[in-house]
Amino acid sequence: MSNIPAATRALRVLRYLASQPDPVSLDRLASAVGLPRSTAYHLMRAMEAEGFVTHLADEHRFGLGVAAFEVGSGYSRQGPLQRIARRPLAALVDVLGQSAHLAVLHGRDVLYVIEERAPGRPPLVTDVGVRLPAHLTASGRAVLAALPANQVRALYPDRSAFADRHGSGPASPSALRALLGETRQRGHALEDGEVTPGFASVAAPVLDHNGHPVAGLAVTYPAEESPDVARLAGHVRRTAGVLTRRLGGKG
């Protein structure tokens, strides 16, 4: 093992942590990737300093850090997702008469990579290139609800991780867990006035071949119109399923 480059060791650690449903102990990790415990300890500390690993001190375990999510979402930002999503989003807008957008997770934010604006609809803050707190947006909640619990904990370890826009939305890990639980049970994510007062959104996740959420697909509408949200959600979920299948997932 001493002849294996440090980069290879780090990549093996990342691959192993990504495959686990929960954070793991140092001993278990060292055994799984074939490292001496002391070597694994120093490697994990170095990866923690760079943000790729987070140390859950109370549990004496290690999990993936925010930087790992940023790298993972980079693939989605580099073109393939936008190319396959453009026409389905345009078709969704035509059917619903509401604006739609696609966003990818970037740390604790979502980054908007596509916006399809419905004719006659006002501009939204979800323009391409804009970043917003993931826990406040429907698209971000759709993605977070599809992530393993340990990854969400790594992103939101305490109250300091929760940005605020208009004084509403989850502001603690427990509140976020409850909201994401409701989202999973419902089958789609909702947001009402937490990003822009007077506007609401419904969203669903787009999954890759591993079942990992690579993006959130959302439709935004003026809340005063009180549309049939169940109908909107059905169309959003179907379009997200189309994109999931095009990425090799099971939509």
Side-chain angles (χ1 to χ4, degrees):
M1 193 69 187
S2 61
N3 295 326
I4 297 177
T8 301
R9 300 180 188 183
L11 291 172
R12 289 181 178 177
V13 166
L14 287 175
R15 184 175 290 114
Y16 174 71
L17 289 177
S19 70
Q20 301 305 300
D22 294 293
V24 300
S25 67
L26 181 64
D27 288 339
R28 180 177 167 187
L29 183 144
S31 176
V33 299
L35 286 174
R37 190 180 190 282
S38 60
T39 301
Y41 175 81
H42 291 297
L43 179 60
M44 297 302 282
R45 287 306 185 189
M47 294 176 69
E48 181 184 11
E50 295 297 327
F52 284 94
V53 164
T54 185
H55 182 216
L56 304 176
D58 292 342
E59 301 180 29
H60 303 289
R61 294 171 183 265
F62 290 90
L64 290 174
V66 172
F69 296 104
E70 294 176 343
V71 170
S73 64
Y75 171 82
S76 299
R77 296 197 302 273
Q78 290 178 3
L81 186 59
Q82 290 93 312
R83 288 196 293 272
I84 69 170
R86 183 72 66 184
R87 288 186 179 180
L89 255 68
L92 180 65
V93 170
D94 288 344
V95 170
L96 298 179
Q98 305 287 358
S99 297
H101 45 260
L102 192 76
V104 299
L105 195 65
H106 191 265
R108 286 192 287 264
D109 294 337
V110 285
L111 174 67
Y112 291 88
V113 294
I114 299 180
E115 183 185 32
E116 289 289 340
R117 190 180 305 169
R121 291 296 181 180
L124 303 170
V125 297
T126 52
D127 200 2
V128 173
V130 169
R131 291 171 55 146
L132 291 172
H135 67 285
L136 297 180
T137 69
S139 53
R141 291 170 179 178
V143 172
L144 293 172
L147 284 175
N150 66 304
Q151 296 184 8
V152 176
R153 287 200 303 271
L155 285 170
Y156 297 92
D158 52 46
R159 285 181 174 270
S160 67
F162 291 82
D164 176 67
R165 279 178 65 86
H166 301 289
S168 59
S172 69
S174 59
L176 181 62
R177 283 196 302 272
L179 185 148
L180 297 182
E182 294 170 0
T183 298
R184 284 188 290 271
Q185 186 173 22
R186 189 190 306 118
H188 57 268
L190 299 174
E191 172 271 321
D192 189 349
E194 291 156 280
V195 174
T196 302
F199 287 88
S201 299
V202 57
V206 176
L207 309 177
D208 64 13
H209 65 286
N210 290 316
H212 183 81
V214 296
L217 170 63
V219 164
T220 297
Y221 55 91
E224 64 182 10
E225 294 184 0
S226 300
D228 183 346
V229 175
R231 174 177 174 268
L232 293 183
H235 281 285
V236 169
R237 287 197 301 266
R238 282 191 287 275
T239 302
V242 169
L243 300 184
T244 292
R245 289 190 292 275
R246 291 188 177 185
L247 289 173
K250 297 179 180 180

